[in-house]
Amino acid sequence: CLIVVHFMFIAAGAAQGSLELAVNTLLMQFFTIYSYFMDGFAYAGEALVGRSIGAGDREEYHNLIRRLFLWGGAVALVFVALYLFGGDHFMSVLTDDVQVLQRIGTYLPWTLLLPLCGMASFMWDGIYIGATAVREMLISGLCDDCQAEMFSIPEDDEPDDIDDDCGFDPYEGCFTYDC
């Protein structure tokens, strides 16, 4: 899924021109770094949930879910702080192109939503996989897609208005390419 998100994000930027492609590629680094940390929690959740279910320990299972979300929330808040206070500096390490940095500055506040909106999806992914709850995972994905469609902004028919639905979709907790 992560690779698909990367390719779709790059394709959305490429469709909008070289400046947007550069901006999207650099902003995607925030998602990549955050994903590595949160995937660690998802993997741990898989193993620990599987162990608690295998042992038939419902109390440990519920405590584990609470702890995963507490730790995941704490890590998400740390990343929000890092992006808020160090995002500009991090981007300036990656590029010295003034035009790219200025454009990134307009989108940088949106990156603060990334850890907050995406944390639960990583946690539930680990919990569902550890519990081998494939059916529930499928149903939650379908519910998520239905919510995203209900709250999506209709696209204009104007060809110059391509970026209305490209970018971060807080309802799906990921970057989308619906242009």
Side-chain angles (χ1 to χ4, degrees):
C1 181
L2 190 57
I3 293 171
V4 173
V5 170
H6 279 269
F7 283 130
M8 293 171 83
F9 197 66
I10 291 168
Q16 296 174 37
S18 61
L19 177 61
E20 293 300 320
L21 176 60
V23 169
N24 285 351
T25 301
L26 291 174
L27 287 174
M28 194 64 181
Q29 301 313 306
F30 285 123
F31 179 72
T32 302
I33 293 168
Y34 177 70
S35 295
Y36 285 128
F37 277 85
M38 296 313 289
D39 267 346
F41 282 95
Y43 293 142
E46 290 174 22
L48 295 171
V49 164
R51 184 181 72 185
S52 66
I53 288 176
D57 191 346
R58 292 184 65 79
E59 184 178 338
E60 176 59 24
Y61 171 75
H62 292 291
N63 287 333
L64 174 64
I65 291 173
R66 262 189 243 102
R67 287 192 311 265
L68 279 172
F69 273 90
L70 284 172
W71 276 101
V75 170
L77 290 174
V78 166
F79 271 88
V80 168
L82 288 172
Y83 295 167
L84 180 64
F85 298 114
D88 289 332
H89 177 69
F90 180 63
M91 288 294 117
S92 68
V93 168
L94 297 177
T95 184
D96 60 357
D97 187 307
V98 175
Q99 191 177 15
V100 172
L101 288 171
Q102 286 174 341
R103 183 64 64 96
I104 285 173
T106 63
Y107 295 114
L108 210 49
W110 289 102
T111 62
L112 300 177
L113 293 174
L114 176 65
L116 300 174
C117 294
M119 183 272 298
S121 63
F122 285 98
M123 297 299 104
W124 284 119
D125 179 58
I127 292 165
Y128 282 144
I129 291 173
T132 63
V134 177
R135 181 176 298 129
E136 290 82 356
M137 195 171 190
L138 174 65
I139 291 169
S140 70
L142 291 173
C143 290
D144 175 61
D145 287 343
C146 290
Q147 287 175 343
E149 289 303 315
M150 287 180 358
F151 293 107
S152 66
I153 300 169
E155 293 182 40
D156 293 339
D157 291 332
E158 299 176 31
D160 63 334
D161 202 17
I162 195 166
D163 64 338
D164 275 353
D165 290 336
C166 293
F168 186 73
D169 183 351
Y171 298 106
E172 294 198 54
C174 64
F175 290 92
T176 59
Y177 178 53
D178 295 333
C179 304

mmCIF file of all heavy atoms in Angstrom, residues 97-133:
data_model
loop_
_atom_site.group_PDB
_atom_site.id
_atom_site.type_symbol
_atom_site.label_atom_id
_atom_site.label_comp_id
_atom_site.label_asym_id
_atom_site.label_seq_id
_atom_site.Cartn_x
_atom_site.Cartn_y
_atom_site.Cartn_z
ATOM 1 N N ASP A 97 16.330 25.230 -3.626
ATOM 2 C CA ASP A 97 15.544 25.943 -4.631
ATOM 3 C C ASP A 97 14.510 26.826 -3.927
ATOM 4 O O ASP A 97 13.596 26.327 -3.258
ATOM 5 C CB ASP A 97 14.856 24.940 -5.555
ATOM 6 C CG ASP A 97 14.165 25.602 -6.728
ATOM 7 O OD1 ASP A 97 13.349 26.519 -6.506
ATOM 8 O OD2 ASP A 97 14.431 25.186 -7.870
ATOM 9 N N VAL A 98 14.648 28.130 -4.090
ATOM 10 C CA VAL A 98 13.798 29.096 -3.390
ATOM 11 C C VAL A 98 12.333 28.939 -3.786
ATOM 12 O O VAL A 98 11.442 28.988 -2.934
ATOM 13 C CB VAL A 98 14.295 30.539 -3.654
ATOM 14 C CG1 VAL A 98 13.363 31.562 -3.031
ATOM 15 C CG2 VAL A 98 15.705 30.711 -3.147
ATOM 16 N N GLN A 99 12.080 28.747 -5.063
ATOM 17 C CA GLN A 99 10.701 28.610 -5.533
ATOM 18 C C GLN A 99 10.034 27.367 -4.934
ATOM 19 O O GLN A 99 8.878 27.406 -4.513
ATOM 20 C CB GLN A 99 10.682 28.546 -7.062
ATOM 21 C CG GLN A 99 9.303 28.663 -7.657
ATOM 22 C CD GLN A 99 9.348 28.657 -9.177
ATOM 23 O OE1 GLN A 99 10.346 28.301 -9.792
ATOM 24 N NE2 GLN A 99 8.232 29.042 -9.785
ATOM 25 N N VAL A 100 10.766 26.274 -4.866
ATOM 26 C CA VAL A 100 10.235 25.042 -4.274
ATOM 27 C C VAL A 100 9.977 25.246 -2.784
ATOM 28 O O VAL A 100 8.922 24.869 -2.267
ATOM 29 C CB VAL A 100 11.191 23.853 -4.523
ATOM 30 C CG1 VAL A 100 10.754 22.623 -3.742
ATOM 31 C CG2 VAL A 100 11.267 23.535 -6.008
ATOM 32 N N LEU A 101 10.917 25.861 -2.091
ATOM 33 C CA LEU A 101 10.753 26.096 -0.648
ATOM 34 C C LEU A 101 9.569 27.015 -0.355
ATOM 35 O O LEU A 101 8.844 26.801 0.628
ATOM 36 C CB LEU A 101 12.037 26.669 -0.048
ATOM 37 C CG LEU A 101 13.195 25.685 0.066
ATOM 38 C CD1 LEU A 101 14.474 26.398 0.459
ATOM 39 C CD2 LEU A 101 12.870 24.575 1.052
ATOM 40 N N GLN A 102 9.360 28.032 -1.186
ATOM 41 C CA GLN A 102 8.209 28.919 -0.982
ATOM 42 C C GLN A 102 6.907 28.155 -1.160
ATOM 43 O O GLN A 102 5.963 28.321 -0.383
ATOM 44 C CB GLN A 102 8.264 30.100 -1.949
ATOM 45 C CG GLN A 102 9.306 31.123 -1.581
ATOM 46 C CD GLN A 102 9.449 32.211 -2.632
ATOM 47 O OE1 GLN A 102 9.042 32.053 -3.779
ATOM 48 N NE2 GLN A 102 10.048 33.324 -2.228
ATOM 49 N N ARG A 103 6.835 27.327 -2.185
ATOM 50 C CA ARG A 103 5.608 26.559 -2.433
ATOM 51 C C ARG A 103 5.391 25.543 -1.323
ATOM 52 O O ARG A 103 4.270 25.321 -0.882
ATOM 53 C CB ARG A 103 5.697 25.861 -3.785
ATOM 54 C CG ARG A 103 4.444 25.089 -4.183
ATOM 55 C CD ARG A 103 3.219 25.989 -4.382
ATOM 56 N NE ARG A 103 3.393 26.896 -5.457
ATOM 57 C CZ ARG A 103 2.953 26.707 -6.699
ATOM 58 N NH1 ARG A 103 2.307 25.617 -7.003
ATOM 59 N NH2 ARG A 103 3.177 27.614 -7.625
ATOM 60 N N ILE A 104 6.461 24.924 -0.847
ATOM 61 C CA ILE A 104 6.349 23.982 0.270
ATOM 62 C C ILE A 104 5.766 24.682 1.486
ATOM 63 O O ILE A 104 4.949 24.116 2.212
ATOM 64 C CB ILE A 104 7.722 23.348 0.597
ATOM 65 C CG1 ILE A 104 8.072 22.297 -0.454
ATOM 66 C CG2 ILE A 104 7.727 22.722 1.983
ATOM 67 C CD1 ILE A 104 9.464 21.732 -0.323
ATOM 68 N N GLY A 105 6.172 25.930 1.703
ATOM 69 C CA GLY A 105 5.666 26.694 2.848
ATOM 70 C C GLY A 105 4.156 26.828 2.869
ATOM 71 O O GLY A 105 3.543 26.854 3.937
ATOM 72 N N THR A 106 3.528 26.842 1.700
ATOM 73 C CA THR A 106 2.064 26.938 1.666
ATOM 74 C C THR A 106 1.398 25.626 2.061
ATOM 75 O O THR A 106 0.280 25.633 2.557
ATOM 76 C CB THR A 106 1.554 27.376 0.271
ATOM 77 O OG1 THR A 106 1.922 26.385 -0.688
ATOM 78 C CG2 THR A 106 2.127 28.718 -0.128
ATOM 79 N N TYR A 107 2.079 24.514 1.828
ATOM 80 C CA TYR A 107 1.510 23.202 2.136
ATOM 81 C C TYR A 107 1.966 22.632 3.475
ATOM 82 O O TYR A 107 1.376 21.691 3.983
ATOM 83 C CB TYR A 107 1.851 22.187 1.036
ATOM 84 C CG TYR A 107 1.244 22.511 -0.296
ATOM 85 C CD1 TYR A 107 2.055 22.849 -1.377
ATOM 86 C CD2 TYR A 107 -0.124 22.488 -0.489
ATOM 87 C CE1 TYR A 107 1.503 23.145 -2.610
ATOM 88 C CE2 TYR A 107 -0.681 22.794 -1.712
ATOM 89 C CZ TYR A 107 0.143 23.116 -2.775
ATOM 90 O OH TYR A 107 -0.404 23.402 -3.984
ATOM 91 N N LEU A 108 3.033 23.182 4.025
ATOM 92 C CA LEU A 108 3.613 22.635 5.244
ATOM 93 C C LEU A 108 2.619 22.513 6.400
ATOM 94 O O LEU A 108 2.636 21.507 7.113
ATOM 95 C CB LEU A 108 4.830 23.457 5.655
ATOM 96 C CG LEU A 108 5.934 22.746 6.400
ATOM 97 C CD1 LEU A 108 6.342 21.451 5.731
ATOM 98 C CD2 LEU A 108 7.134 23.653 6.564
ATOM 99 N N PRO A 109 1.718 23.477 6.606
ATOM 100 C CA PRO A 109 0.747 23.301 7.705
ATOM 101 C C PRO A 109 -0.117 22.044 7.554
ATOM 102 O O PRO A 109 -0.516 21.453 8.557
ATOM 103 C CB PRO A 109 -0.105 24.568 7.630
ATOM 104 C CG PRO A 109 0.782 25.584 6.996
ATOM 105 C CD PRO A 109 1.624 24.814 6.018
ATOM 106 N N TRP A 110 -0.366 21.624 6.328
ATOM 107 C CA TRP A 110 -1.183 20.425 6.116
ATOM 108 C C TRP A 110 -0.462 19.173 6.588
ATOM 109 O O TRP A 110 -1.095 18.173 6.931
ATOM 110 C CB TRP A 110 -1.574 20.288 4.644
ATOM 111 C CG TRP A 110 -2.582 21.311 4.246
ATOM 112 C CD1 TRP A 110 -2.351 22.463 3.550
ATOM 113 C CD2 TRP A 110 -3.972 21.298 4.538
ATOM 114 N NE1 TRP A 110 -3.515 23.159 3.400
ATOM 115 C CE2 TRP A 110 -4.537 22.466 3.992
ATOM 116 C CE3 TRP A 110 -4.808 20.411 5.208
ATOM 117 C CZ2 TRP A 110 -5.881 22.769 4.091
ATOM 118 C CZ3 TRP A 110 -6.154 20.718 5.310
ATOM 119 C CH2 TRP A 110 -6.682 21.871 4.752
ATOM 120 N N THR A 111 0.865 19.204 6.595
ATOM 121 C CA THR A 111 1.611 18.025 7.045
ATOM 122 C C THR A 111 1.401 17.771 8.533
ATOM 123 O O THR A 111 1.635 16.656 8.997
ATOM 124 C CB THR A 111 3.119 18.167 6.758
ATOM 125 O OG1 THR A 111 3.642 19.280 7.474
ATOM 126 C CG2 THR A 111 3.385 18.305 5.280
ATOM 127 N N LEU A 112 0.953 18.784 9.263
ATOM 128 C CA LEU A 112 0.683 18.586 10.690
ATOM 129 C C LEU A 112 -0.490 17.634 10.908
ATOM 130 O O LEU A 112 -0.590 16.997 11.953
ATOM 131 C CB LEU A 112 0.394 19.927 11.368
ATOM 132 C CG LEU A 112 1.515 20.967 11.293
ATOM 133 C CD1 LEU A 112 1.068 22.269 11.937
ATOM 134 C CD2 LEU A 112 2.784 20.450 11.918
ATOM 135 N N LEU A 113 -1.375 17.543 9.920
ATOM 136 C CA LEU A 113 -2.516 16.628 10.020
ATOM 137 C C LEU A 113 -2.124 15.170 9.776
ATOM 138 O O LEU A 113 -2.799 14.262 10.244
ATOM 139 C CB LEU A 113 -3.606 17.018 9.023
ATOM 140 C CG LEU A 113 -4.309 18.339 9.270
ATOM 141 C CD1 LEU A 113 -5.260 18.642 8.121
ATOM 142 C CD2 LEU A 113 -5.048 18.294 10.591
ATOM 143 N N LEU A 114 -1.059 14.986 9.041
ATOM 144 C CA LEU A 114 -0.655 13.631 8.656
ATOM 145 C C LEU A 114 -0.520 12.678 9.842
ATOM 146 O O LEU A 114 -1.162 11.624 9.856
ATOM 147 C CB LEU A 114 0.635 13.687 7.842
ATOM 148 C CG LEU A 114 1.237 12.360 7.444
ATOM 149 C CD1 LEU A 114 0.306 11.632 6.490
ATOM 150 C CD2 LEU A 114 2.584 12.574 6.789
ATOM 151 N N PRO A 115 0.263 13.000 10.866
ATOM 152 C CA PRO A 115 0.378 12.058 11.983
ATOM 153 C C PRO A 115 -0.937 11.865 12.730
ATOM 154 O O PRO A 115 -1.248 10.752 13.160
ATOM 155 C CB PRO A 115 1.424 12.705 12.896
ATOM 156 C CG PRO A 115 2.156 13.673 12.040
ATOM 157 C CD PRO A 115 1.187 14.135 11.010
ATOM 158 N N LEU A 116 -1.697 12.932 12.869
ATOM 159 C CA LEU A 116 -2.951 12.842 13.626
ATOM 160 C C LEU A 116 -4.003 12.020 12.895
ATOM 161 O O LEU A 116 -4.709 11.213 13.501
ATOM 162 C CB LEU A 116 -3.484 14.246 13.918
ATOM 163 C CG LEU A 116 -2.548 15.145 14.730
ATOM 164 C CD1 LEU A 116 -3.121 16.551 14.827
ATOM 165 C CD2 LEU A 116 -2.294 14.557 16.102
ATOM 166 N N CYS A 117 -4.105 12.223 11.589
ATOM 167 C CA CYS A 117 -5.123 11.505 10.810
ATOM 168 C C CYS A 117 -4.702 10.081 10.469
ATOM 169 O O CYS A 117 -5.553 9.221 10.267
ATOM 170 C CB CYS A 117 -5.419 12.260 9.516
ATOM 171 S SG CYS A 117 -6.198 13.852 9.753
ATOM 172 N N GLY A 118 -3.407 9.832 10.395
ATOM 173 C CA GLY A 118 -2.947 8.518 9.968
ATOM 174 C C GLY A 118 -2.656 7.533 11.069
ATOM 175 O O GLY A 118 -2.555 6.336 10.814
ATOM 176 N N MET A 119 -2.525 8.008 12.308
ATOM 177 C CA MET A 119 -2.103 7.131 13.399
ATOM 178 C C MET A 119 -3.029 5.940 13.578
ATOM 179 O O MET A 119 -2.584 4.800 13.670
ATOM 180 C CB MET A 119 -2.015 7.945 14.703
ATOM 181 C CG MET A 119 -1.524 7.164 15.908
ATOM 182 S SD MET A 119 -2.772 6.294 16.868
ATOM 183 C CE MET A 119 -3.795 7.600 17.457
ATOM 184 N N ALA A 120 -4.326 6.175 13.619
ATOM 185 C CA ALA A 120 -5.270 5.085 13.881
ATOM 186 C C ALA A 120 -5.217 4.013 12.793
ATOM 187 O O ALA A 120 -5.359 2.820 13.093
ATOM 188 C CB ALA A 120 -6.686 5.634 14.020
ATOM 189 N N SER A 121 -4.991 4.412 11.559
ATOM 190 C CA SER A 121 -4.954 3.406 10.490
ATOM 191 C C SER A 121 -3.783 2.444 10.680
ATOM 192 O O SER A 121 -3.916 1.245 10.421
ATOM 193 C CB SER A 121 -4.893 4.077 9.116
ATOM 194 O OG SER A 121 -3.713 4.827 8.976
ATOM 195 N N PHE A 122 -2.636 2.947 11.130
ATOM 196 C CA PHE A 122 -1.505 2.060 11.397
ATOM 197 C C PHE A 122 -1.813 1.124 12.569
ATOM 198 O O PHE A 122 -1.508 -0.068 12.521
ATOM 199 C CB PHE A 122 -0.247 2.872 11.717
ATOM 200 C CG PHE A 122 0.386 3.509 10.510
ATOM 201 C CD1 PHE A 122 0.134 4.825 10.194
ATOM 202 C CD2 PHE A 122 1.240 2.781 9.695
ATOM 203 C CE1 PHE A 122 0.717 5.421 9.098
ATOM 204 C CE2 PHE A 122 1.832 3.366 8.587
ATOM 205 C CZ PHE A 122 1.562 4.695 8.291
ATOM 206 N N MET A 123 -2.405 1.672 13.623
ATOM 207 C CA MET A 123 -2.699 0.857 14.807
ATOM 208 C C MET A 123 -3.708 -0.243 14.472
ATOM 209 O O MET A 123 -3.504 -1.404 14.811
ATOM 210 C CB MET A 123 -3.243 1.718 15.950
ATOM 211 C CG MET A 123 -2.287 2.770 16.487
ATOM 212 S SD MET A 123 -0.772 2.107 17.161
ATOM 213 C CE MET A 123 0.362 2.500 15.862
ATOM 214 N N TRP A 124 -4.813 0.141 13.816
ATOM 215 C CA TRP A 124 -5.840 -0.849 13.492
ATOM 216 C C TRP A 124 -5.323 -1.893 12.513
ATOM 217 O O TRP A 124 -5.718 -3.057 12.583
ATOM 218 C CB TRP A 124 -7.103 -0.186 12.962
ATOM 219 C CG TRP A 124 -7.909 0.454 14.050
ATOM 220 C CD1 TRP A 124 -8.224 1.763 14.161
ATOM 221 C CD2 TRP A 124 -8.489 -0.196 15.194
ATOM 222 N NE1 TRP A 124 -8.954 1.976 15.316
ATOM 223 C CE2 TRP A 124 -9.138 0.793 15.961
ATOM 224 C CE3 TRP A 124 -8.515 -1.511 15.650
ATOM 225 C CZ2 TRP A 124 -9.804 0.514 17.140
ATOM 226 C CZ3 TRP A 124 -9.177 -1.795 16.836
ATOM 227 C CH2 TRP A 124 -9.815 -0.801 17.563
ATOM 228 N N ASP A 125 -4.453 -1.489 11.613
ATOM 229 C CA ASP A 125 -3.862 -2.449 10.686
ATOM 230 C C ASP A 125 -3.136 -3.550 11.462
ATOM 231 O O ASP A 125 -3.349 -4.739 11.208
ATOM 232 C CB ASP A 125 -2.900 -1.721 9.748
ATOM 233 C CG ASP A 125 -2.220 -2.658 8.773
ATOM 234 O OD1 ASP A 125 -2.924 -3.341 8.010
ATOM 235 O OD2 ASP A 125 -0.976 -2.707 8.781
ATOM 236 N N GLY A 126 -2.305 -3.164 12.416
ATOM 237 C CA GLY A 126 -1.589 -4.151 13.224
ATOM 238 C C GLY A 126 -2.527 -5.000 14.060
ATOM 239 O O GLY A 126 -2.341 -6.221 14.183
ATOM 240 N N ILE A 127 -3.551 -4.370 14.629
ATOM 241 C CA ILE A 127 -4.507 -5.104 15.478
ATOM 242 C C ILE A 127 -5.298 -6.109 14.651
ATOM 243 O O ILE A 127 -5.424 -7.280 15.025
ATOM 244 C CB ILE A 127 -5.445 -4.110 16.201
ATOM 245 C CG1 ILE A 127 -4.642 -3.297 17.226
ATOM 246 C CG2 ILE A 127 -6.604 -4.841 16.864
ATOM 247 C CD1 ILE A 127 -5.357 -2.072 17.742
ATOM 248 N N TYR A 128 -5.827 -5.671 13.511
ATOM 249 C CA TYR A 128 -6.621 -6.573 12.669
ATOM 250 C C TYR A 128 -5.786 -7.727 12.130
ATOM 251 O O TYR A 128 -6.231 -8.870 12.094
ATOM 252 C CB TYR A 128 -7.253 -5.819 11.499
ATOM 253 C CG TYR A 128 -8.468 -5.008 11.868
ATOM 254 C CD1 TYR A 128 -8.700 -3.784 11.260
ATOM 255 C CD2 TYR A 128 -9.402 -5.450 12.795
ATOM 256 C CE1 TYR A 128 -9.824 -3.030 11.572
ATOM 257 C CE2 TYR A 128 -10.520 -4.708 13.112
ATOM 258 C CZ TYR A 128 -10.722 -3.497 12.503
ATOM 259 O OH TYR A 128 -11.824 -2.766 12.808
ATOM 260 N N ILE A 129 -4.572 -7.438 11.681
ATOM 261 C CA ILE A 129 -3.732 -8.512 11.152
ATOM 262 C C ILE A 129 -3.356 -9.491 12.261
ATOM 263 O O ILE A 129 -3.406 -10.707 12.073
ATOM 264 C CB ILE A 129 -2.484 -7.932 10.452
ATOM 265 C CG1 ILE A 129 -2.910 -7.229 9.167
ATOM 266 C CG2 ILE A 129 -1.464 -9.027 10.156
ATOM 267 C CD1 ILE A 129 -1.806 -6.470 8.472
ATOM 268 N N GLY A 130 -2.993 -8.971 13.435
ATOM 269 C CA GLY A 130 -2.651 -9.839 14.560
ATOM 270 C C GLY A 130 -3.808 -10.700 15.008
ATOM 271 O O GLY A 130 -3.626 -11.835 15.453
ATOM 272 N N ALA A 131 -5.019 -10.177 14.871
ATOM 273 C CA ALA A 131 -6.217 -10.925 15.266
ATOM 274 C C ALA A 131 -6.736 -11.787 14.121
ATOM 275 O O ALA A 131 -7.746 -12.477 14.280
ATOM 276 C CB ALA A 131 -7.305 -9.953 15.714
ATOM 277 N N THR A 132 -6.054 -11.772 12.997
ATOM 278 C CA THR A 132 -6.497 -12.412 11.754
ATOM 279 C C THR A 132 -7.951 -12.070 11.450
ATOM 280 O O THR A 132 -8.735 -12.910 11.017
ATOM 281 C CB THR A 132 -6.285 -13.940 11.770
ATOM 282 O OG1 THR A 132 -7.075 -14.523 12.798
ATOM 283 C CG2 THR A 132 -4.814 -14.295 11.946
ATOM 284 N N ALA A 133 -8.303 -10.811 11.646
ATOM 285 C CA ALA A 133 -9.669 -10.317 11.431
ATOM 286 C C ALA A 133 -9.771 -9.696 10.036
ATOM 287 O O ALA A 133 -10.005 -8.502 9.881
ATOM 288 C CB ALA A 133 -10.037 -9.306 12.512
#
